[in-house]
Amino acid sequence: GQNIDQPTEMTATEGAIVQINCTYQTSGFNGLFWYQQHAGEAPTFLSYNVLDGLEEKGRFSSFLSRSKGYSYLLLKELQMKDSASYLCAVMDSNYQLIWGAGTKLIIKP
Amino acid sequence: ETGVTQTPRHLVMGMTNKKSLKCEQHLGHNAMYWYKQSAKKPLELMFVYNFKEQTENNSVPSRFSPECPNSSHLFLHLHTLQPEDSALYLCASSQTSGGAGELFFGEGSRLTVL
């Protein structure tokens, strides 16, 4: 079966750096997405990786290793507003999105 | 302001009621989706419409009935639901389905079935 694994919850301190990991086993691969979802709000797109390597976008970076079935989202200079759930999703060979259960990130002052 | 609007935001219904969820997108997209989001579970894809045609029904019980009158509007008709159907129902849109484009989500309709 197809599976996406990510930690259920993580805690970090304001101003610090946090890395949220995502491992996947899917039937084929057509890219990996990260979404951010604040409580009570819509998920919003953060990043898309289809080739190996690091994609940087401001304070957020996303890394992909297709050979290892692994990605991470790196958040730098954490702010209280970064408290949210982070959803990892992989697009399989049929262009179906396979979702992880999300990682709830708690930022403490 | 999100380009995808869902109403109502909150809905409480009994198991014998009939209600509908509405989704409207203002992004000019051709694909629309219904997802179910339950606590600590992955998003569950329910239905996909591409150019108003249903292209995916992910083994959803018949008590959920989708309707897509045009590319901008999507409905989810609900009848004789069960308490386990209580969840957040998210609507999303994308340029087309079957591609690698990002999804744009609405804020969801929080459904409670008593």
Side-chain angles (χ1 to χ4, degrees), chain A residues 23-54:
Chain A
T23 58
Y24 63 89
Q25 293 176 307
T26 57
S27 303
F29 180 84
N30 276 304
L32 185 145
F33 294 83
W34 285 96
Y35 283 81
Q36 180 191 58
Q37 185 177 23
H38 286 100
E41 296 184 14
T44 54
F45 170 80
L46 284 178
S47 65
Y48 171 67
N49 294 66
V50 67
L51 299 176
D52 290 350
L54 187 69

Side-chain angles (χ1 to χ4, degrees), chain A residues 8 30 33 35 37 40-45 48 87 91 94-97 99-102, chain B residues 2 9 35 37 40-43 45 56 88 90 98-107:
Chain A
T8 302
N30 276 304
F33 294 83
Y35 283 81
Q37 185 177 23
E41 296 184 14
T44 54
F45 170 80
Y48 171 67
L87 312 179
M91 189 160 278
N94 294 319
Y95 290 94
Q96 301 293 317
L97 271 177
W99 293 85
Chain B
T2 178
R9 291 293 311 278
Y35 278 93
Q37 187 175 36
K40 300 186 180 181
K41 289 186 177 180
L43 286 177
L45 179 64
E56 182 110 15
L88 182 68
L90 290 166
E102 67 184 90
L103 294 175
F104 292 78
F105 286 89
E107 294 187 314

Side-chain angles (χ1 to χ4, degrees), chain B residues 40-58:
Chain B
K40 300 186 180 181
K41 289 186 177 180
L43 286 177
E44 295 177 48
L45 179 64
M46 300 176 72
F47 302 103
V48 181
Y49 280 82
N50 200 32
F51 293 94
K52 300 190 301 178
E53 298 298 319
Q54 187 179 122
T55 57
E56 182 110 15
N57 176 339
N58 223 16

Side-chain angles (χ1 to χ4, degrees), chain A residues 25-102:
Chain A
Q25 293 176 307
T26 57
S27 303
F29 180 84
N30 276 304
L32 185 145
F33 294 83
W34 285 96
Y35 283 81
Q36 180 191 58
Q37 185 177 23
H38 286 100
E41 296 184 14
T44 54
F45 170 80
L46 284 178
S47 65
Y48 171 67
N49 294 66
V50 67
L51 299 176
D52 290 350
L54 187 69
E55 296 274 348
E56 297 186 72
K57 200 184 283 188
R59 295 188 298 113
F60 292 13
S61 303
S62 55
F63 171 83
L64 175 67
S65 169
R66 288 172 296 171
S67 62
K68 295 181 179 178
Y70 168 69
S71 172
Y72 66 73
L73 182 68
L74 190 71
L75 291 72
K76 302 177 184 176
E77 301 169 18
L78 285 170
Q79 302 176 9
M80 298 303 292
K81 67 179 182 179
D82 297 328
S83 292
S85 288
Y86 292 85
L87 312 179
C88 174
V90 172
M91 189 160 278
D92 69 9
S93 57
N94 294 319
Y95 290 94
Q96 301 293 317
L97 271 177
I98 312 301
W99 293 85

Side-chain angles (χ1 to χ4, degrees), chain B:
Chain B
E1 182 182 316
T2 178
V4 180
T5 305
Q6 289 187 243
T7 56
R9 291 293 311 278
H10 300 273
L11 179 62
V12 179
M13 59 188 289
M15 291 191 286
T16 58
N17 292 160
K18 289 185 180 181
K19 298 284 184 183
S20 296
L21 307 181
K22 179 184 175 182
C23 176
E24 184 174 0
Q25 58 98 358
H26 313 274
L27 300 168
H29 290 162
N30 297 302
M32 297 188 76
Y33 310 75
W34 280 117
Y35 278 93
K36 177 182 180 182
Q37 187 175 36
S38 303
K40 300 186 180 181
K41 289 186 177 180
L43 286 177
E44 295 177 48
L45 179 64
M46 300 176 72
F47 302 103
V48 181
Y49 280 82
N50 200 32
F51 293 94
K52 300 190 301 178
E53 298 298 319
Q54 187 179 122
T55 57
E56 182 110 15
N57 176 339
N58 223 16
S59 302
V60 180
S62 59
R63 58 186 183 268
F64 294 92
S65 174
E67 179 189 359
C68 187
N70 54 60
S71 293
S72 299
H73 293 86
L74 186 65
F75 295 90
L76 188 62
H77 303 301
L78 316 169
H79 61 97
T80 59
L81 294 189
Q82 304 298 310
E84 60 263 29
D85 297 323
S86 297
L88 182 68
Y89 289 85
L90 290 166
C91 175
S93 71
S94 64
Q95 192 59 48
T96 60
S97 67
E102 67 184 90
L103 294 175
F104 292 78
F105 286 89
E107 294 187 314
S109 294
R110 172 72 61 186
L111 173 66
T112 302
V113 181
L114 301 176

